Amino acid sequence: MRLIASVWPLCDDESVDDLVQLLTPAGQRVEHPDYRLALEAGELLGLYRDMVLVRRMDVEATALQRQGELGLWASCLGQEAAQVGSARAQRPTDMCFPSYREHGVAWVKGVEPLQILGLFRGVNYGGWDPRERYIHVYTLVIGSQALHATGYAMGVQRDDTDDAVVAYFGDGATSQGDLNEALVWASVNAAPVVFFCQNNQWAISEPVERQSRVPIAQRATGFGIPAVRVDGNDVLACHAVMSAALETARDGGGPVFIEAFTYRMGAHTTSDDPSRYRIADELESWRAKDPIDRMRSYLETEGILTADQQLALDADSDALAAAVRAGVLEMRNPEPLDMFDNVYAGAHPLVTAERASYASYLASFVDEARS
Amino acid sequence: MTVTMAKAINTGLRRAMDQDGSVLLMGQDIGALGGVFRITDGLWKDFGDSRVVDTPLGESGIVGAAIGLAMRGYRPVCEIQFDGFVFPAFDQITTQLAKMRYRTAGRVALPVTIRIPYGGGIGAVEHHSESPEAYFAHTPGLRVVTFASSQDAYDVTRSAIASDDPVIVLEPKRRYWDKSPLETGDAVLPLPLASIAHAGSDVTLVCYGPTVRTCLSVAQVAADEGRSVEVVDLRSLSPWDEDTVLDSVRRTGRCIVVHEASVSGGLGAEIAARVSERAFYMLEAPVLRVGGFHTPYPVSRIEDEYLPDLDRILDAIDRSFAV
Ligand SMILES: Cc1ncc(C[n+]2csc(CCOP(=O)(O)OP(=O)(O)O)c2C)c(N)n1
Ligand SMILES: [Mg+2]
């Protein structure tokens, strides 16, 4: 049998030469001809702070899942730079559509950590108002949200504002039909949407080579969408590349595709066991490219981050973790009858009848207990 | 031998692959990982890339490509990772897979098996707990089956693969780790009809997949209260075994259908209608249905309110007798 893997060499995904980078893994600031970045010290510190706090929340959530307080957790460990950098580049009214791992994006958009955790505890399907936060609730069905982002962007286009829209998704998602349709639609309509793909090298157990024979960004060009690959563990580069893409979208330049080359440091979710399919060495090599470490050494070298500030941030992290923990433990389950809410805008006789009959069924237990 | 249902399916898949070189497995994460439920554990190691295919992430692709492979003489067995993710493949399943024999005047058979872990009760996040059987049972051209024991899991898996019709196999995921006896015979049986999982004389509970175990507990509890409950495990949902159900209902005079899916427009409605048509004068009470509500599947912290449980089924039995 001729399987293609044996006759056609894989693309060299490890070649990162074409990645936009502004901060080396060692934390050295480098320049890129196309992407300049002029952030004030306070903003730089802010990016670092976001990443540190998001990671602390993430680690606490994993612990809470282990203790049975969450049903599941999808960690964003290792992807903080891609998420924080790309989200900080957005204006408050730029709408974005996440998948399920975008805790760093949600954080930057002002979603409360406990609002994120509700879905994973199983008390709601999305704890925030997308219209208020300009971030849609998480989408778990791979790829669907890329079309929603595209349609939203077509609305923005008609409203004649210069808002832009962002779709977040993973490397695996690029194989899904909806995602490919979104690229077609955005392209032919010149919709102001940025497709932000976090290529974390894995879709559960499948390496990215199972999804694409070429670097993922290269696919977008076939749809007529300009694409750029960025070091996804470099928060400055992610910020710069996203800022430029959003400007293109705002200025009527149509969609842009960004591939943020990063790595899923943790398991796919708390249900997953990566030891079955990936080697520890890979993890080690990526640990050396940690997004938070490199920003920290850069800020320390520049004298932007002092030892005192770091101590204060550590204290804030611990306080956040404690608040997250306490908040999760206090999270109440919905009432049984809440299940019947929000199925329809108006009354629906079947739902009304089922709710009434279930209410009297539940009441019969109370009566029984009393008698 | 007593094994988990998961192991029984795995054994059934292995046996089918051993016996027929045209059987191949396709799905997400079914290779090195062995699937998120480990149903294909060890198969990739033993059968290799050509027969255990980790597919790109697209369900329409999995089913659409399976159709092409089947036309070329293969017997693809597709794994859909969770019930809620079958819908990107819905068009390929209902429009292409189900109709191909008809459209080609019987010239093209599509022996494609689609395995779908389904149903709730595992504390999962959204789209991981659904019961989509009615959509498929409503589609002419598809056979739809499920099971509730390790033996049936093994037998159904093998007969589905051997079937020259496309078969949707709904695997009751919350029962994957239940253990029961298994004999691994060589014979491939025809797709099964219903079985009497527990004999009784006062009321018939018609159930399948995950609700069979619940109904068997109901039979125990009801027995203590002096009511004799017959539990019919449908196993096949399309076709479903009218004769066995009617025979039971004619003896008991009472019929209650139990499934996790929303009752409105669900399989229970079809069963109730047939029972009313064919056994109306034998019924002591209207056919009742216990199942999910006309809401999306609720969040996991209150999913037990939605799923038919012991109390709700006992309550339905009381109502049936109150007539
Ligand atoms: C339509 C659909 N099919 C299958 C799944 C199951 N699933 C959940 S995550 C995942 C892998 C996603 O990989 P990727 O897009 O790279 O995102 P990552 O998890 O790496 O962030 C799969 C197959 C799903 N959620 N939706
Ligand atoms: Mg990925």
Side-chain angles (χ1 to χ4, degrees):
Chain A
M1 195 191 90
R2 289 161 299 154
L3 282 182
I4 201 157
S6 58
V7 293
W8 190 16
L10 289 172
C11 67
D12 185 5
D13 233 1
E14 288 301 314
S15 120
V16 289
D17 296 348
D18 59 339
L19 293 185
V20 175
Q21 191 179 67
L22 298 180
L23 204 55
T24 67
Q28 201 192 350
R29 182 77 168 81
V30 288
E31 292 301 329
H32 189 283
D34 301 328
Y35 298 96
R36 312 252 158 231
L37 188 74
L39 292 182
E40 318 257 312
E43 292 170 303
L44 294 171
L45 213 47
L47 292 172
Y48 175 67
R49 181 184 168 81
D50 285 336
M51 292 196 292
V52 168
L53 293 177
V54 166
R55 179 168 292 186
R56 188 64 189 86
M57 169 184 86
D58 191 283
V59 167
E60 197 62 25
T62 299
L64 283 162
Q65 195 283 334
R66 293 281 175 246
Q67 291 150 12
E69 295 297 336
L70 301 179
L72 183 81
W73 181 246
S75 165
C76 67
L77 206 69
Q79 298 177 223
E80 296 89 350
Q83 298 190 3
V84 166
S86 66
R88 277 286 168 220
Q90 293 168 41
R91 291 200 309 218
T93 55
D94 289 341
M95 181 72 179
C96 73
F97 291 77
S99 58
Y100 44 80
R101 203 188 290 288
E102 274 68 69
H103 318 312
V105 179
W107 166 269
V108 169
K109 287 283 192 170
V111 176
E112 297 292 332
L114 290 176
Q115 292 177 318
I116 301 174
L117 290 164
L119 181 150
F120 294 93
R121 185 167 166 91
V123 299
N124 61 46
Y125 281 147
W128 63 90
D129 183 348
R131 297 161 310 169
E132 198 177 286
R133 292 277 142 245
Y134 287 88
I135 173 170
H136 188 45
V137 293
Y138 284 175
T139 297
L140 271 59
V141 182
I142 301 293
S144 296
Q145 77 278 10
L147 276 166
H148 309 159
T150 302
Y152 193 97
M154 290 168 65
V156 166
Q157 216 170 15
R158 282 158 178 74
D159 292 345
D160 224 9
T161 72
D162 67 348
D163 287 335
V165 182
V166 182
Y168 284 95
F169 51 91
D171 44 291
T174 60
S175 295
Q176 190 62 277
D178 277 8
L179 204 293
N180 286 272
E181 291 185 36
L183 296 176
V184 171
W185 277 65
S187 172
V188 300
N189 290 295
V193 53
V194 178
F195 294 98
F196 192 87
C197 175
Q198 288 167 81
N199 175 2
N200 64 5
Q201 315 301 323
W202 292 93
I204 310 188
S205 73
E206 297 193 16
V208 62
E209 295 78 28
R210 281 267 144 212
Q211 317 291 343
S212 184
R213 310 293 301 186
V214 297
I216 287 197
Q218 203 170 306
R219 283 183 166 177
T221 54
F223 290 92
I225 299 178
V228 49
R229 289 182 105 200
V230 61
D231 181 341
N233 286 13
D234 173 352
V235 69
L236 302 184
C238 288
H239 190 290
V241 164
M242 182 57 121
S243 299
L246 289 167
E247 281 322 304
T248 302
R250 284 188 220 298
D251 294 348
V256 178
F257 189 105
I258 298 171
E259 175 189 350
F261 200 77
T262 179
Y263 192 73
R264 195 193 78 205
M265 295 294 286
H268 170 68
T269 65
T270 45
S271 299
D272 180 36
D273 174 12
S275 72
R276 291 179 70 101
Y277 56 81
R278 74 181 185 188
I279 48 167
D281 287 2
E282 187 181 277
L283 192 68
E284 278 317 305
S285 79
W286 278 92
R287 216 185 288 284
K289 302 177 201 163
D290 188 88
I292 297 183
D293 291 350
R294 77 169 79 170
M295 188 62 174
R296 178 174 176 162
S297 44
Y298 166 61
L299 294 178
E300 282 174 351
T301 315
E302 293 293 309
I304 298 172
L305 177 70
T306 65
D308 282 350
Q309 280 168 320
Q310 181 64 48
L311 278 178
L313 179 54
D314 290 344
D316 288 351
S317 294
D318 290 342
L320 174 66
V324 163
R325 168 164 294 271
V328 165
L329 297 183
E330 277 168 20
M331 241 180 232
R332 303 268 309 269
N333 290 349
E335 293 301 323
L337 294 178
D338 292 350
M339 165 165 71
F340 297 97
D341 291 345
N342 296 311
V343 183
Y344 294 95
H348 184 292
L350 178 59
V351 178
T352 308
E354 284 186 344
R355 170 197 269 269
S357 114
Y358 196 56
S360 59
Y361 168 77
L362 290 177
S364 72
F365 288 92
V366 180
D367 296 346
E368 225 167 71
R370 274 207 206 102
S371 60
Chain B
M1 179 168 62
T2 299
V3 302
T4 62
M5 184 183 282
K7 182 66 187 168
I9 303 167
N10 176 273
T11 310
L13 292 170
R14 178 180 287 279
R15 186 61 66 90
M17 295 179 81
D18 276 335
Q19 284 181 335
D20 181 350
S22 71
V23 174
L24 55 91
L25 313 186
M26 312 206 303
Q28 295 151 4
D29 306 289
I30 65 169
L33 185 63
V36 293
F37 290 106
R38 310 291 185 265
I39 303 297
T40 56
D41 191 25
L43 299 178
W44 173 72
K45 196 169 120 282
D46 294 343
F47 292 97
D49 282 333
S50 66
R51 298 195 59 200
V52 180
V53 185
D54 261 343
T55 65
L57 206 172
E59 288 74 11
S60 184
I62 295 173
V63 177
I67 291 173
L69 279 154
M71 290 182 67
R72 183 69 189 181
Y74 287 90
R75 282 186 184 269
V77 182
C78 307
E79 174 173 302
I80 300 293
Q81 204 159 75
F82 282 91
D83 35 57
F85 306 139
V86 70
F87 300 107
F90 200 66
D91 171 59
Q92 287 289 351
I93 295 173
T94 57
T95 309
Q96 301 298 334
L97 185 63
K99 294 179 181 171
M100 198 67 85
R101 173 179 293 275
Y102 199 73
R103 290 175 55 223
T104 59
R107 293 184 188 94
V108 175
L110 293 180
V112 174
T113 301
I114 302 180
R115 301 179 34 245
I116 311 175
Y118 91 112
I122 61 163
V125 292
E126 60 181 340
H127 315 299
H128 291 70
S129 305
E130 299 179 10
S131 298
E133 66 269 23
Y135 296 119
F136 300 117
H138 188 65
T139 304
L142 300 176
R143 293 181 185 273
V144 185
V145 293
T146 179
F147 39 71
S149 69
S150 295
Q151 189 64 53
D152 282 345
Y154 174 82
D155 290 334
V156 165
T157 298
R158 296 181 63 228
S159 38
I161 294 171
S163 168
D164 282 335
D165 288 320
V167 184
I168 307 288
V169 183
L170 294 163
E171 303 180 348
K173 69 170 93 78
R174 73 169 142 141
R175 308 298 186 208
Y176 270 155
W177 315 116
D178 285 6
K179 286 187 172 174
S180 60
L182 172 67
E183 280 182 31
T184 55
D186 268 341
V188 179
L189 308 168
L191 282 163
L193 293 170
S195 76
I196 308 289
H198 185 268
S201 53
D202 294 340
V203 54
T204 301
L205 295 182
V206 179
C207 53
Y208 50 85
T211 58
V212 174
R213 198 176 105 181
T214 319
C215 289
L216 289 172
S217 317
V218 169
Q220 298 301 330
V221 175
D224 296 342
E225 296 172 358
R227 278 188 183 140
S228 169
V229 173
E230 178 141 304
V231 179
V232 177
D233 174 2
L234 274 190
R235 301 195 288 195
S236 180
L237 310 184
S238 176
W240 63 274
D241 185 352
E242 289 183 33
D243 291 342
T244 300
V245 171
L246 285 162
D247 176 64
S248 175
V249 174
R250 287 195 182 104
R251 283 185 283 107
T252 63
R254 292 186 162 80
C255 179
I256 300 170
V257 189
V258 183
H259 56 53
E260 291 186 10
S262 306
V263 295
S264 73
L267 209 64
E270 175 63 24
I271 294 165
R274 287 282 178 207
V275 169
S276 308
E277 279 168 23
R278 293 186 56 191
F280 186 72
Y281 293 105
M282 309 297 283
L283 287 170
E284 308 278 346
V287 182
L288 297 178
R289 292 168 291 163
V290 185
F293 303 108
H294 192 67
T295 73
Y297 193 87
V299 293
S300 63
R301 289 269 164 170
I302 55 167
E303 68 182 328
D304 290 345
E305 306 287 336
Y306 176 94
L307 293 168
D309 63 0
L310 203 83
D311 284 332
R312 277 174 64 203
I313 301 167
L314 287 168
D315 175 68
I317 293 176
D318 286 346
R319 282 187 283 127
S320 179
F321 276 92
V323 175

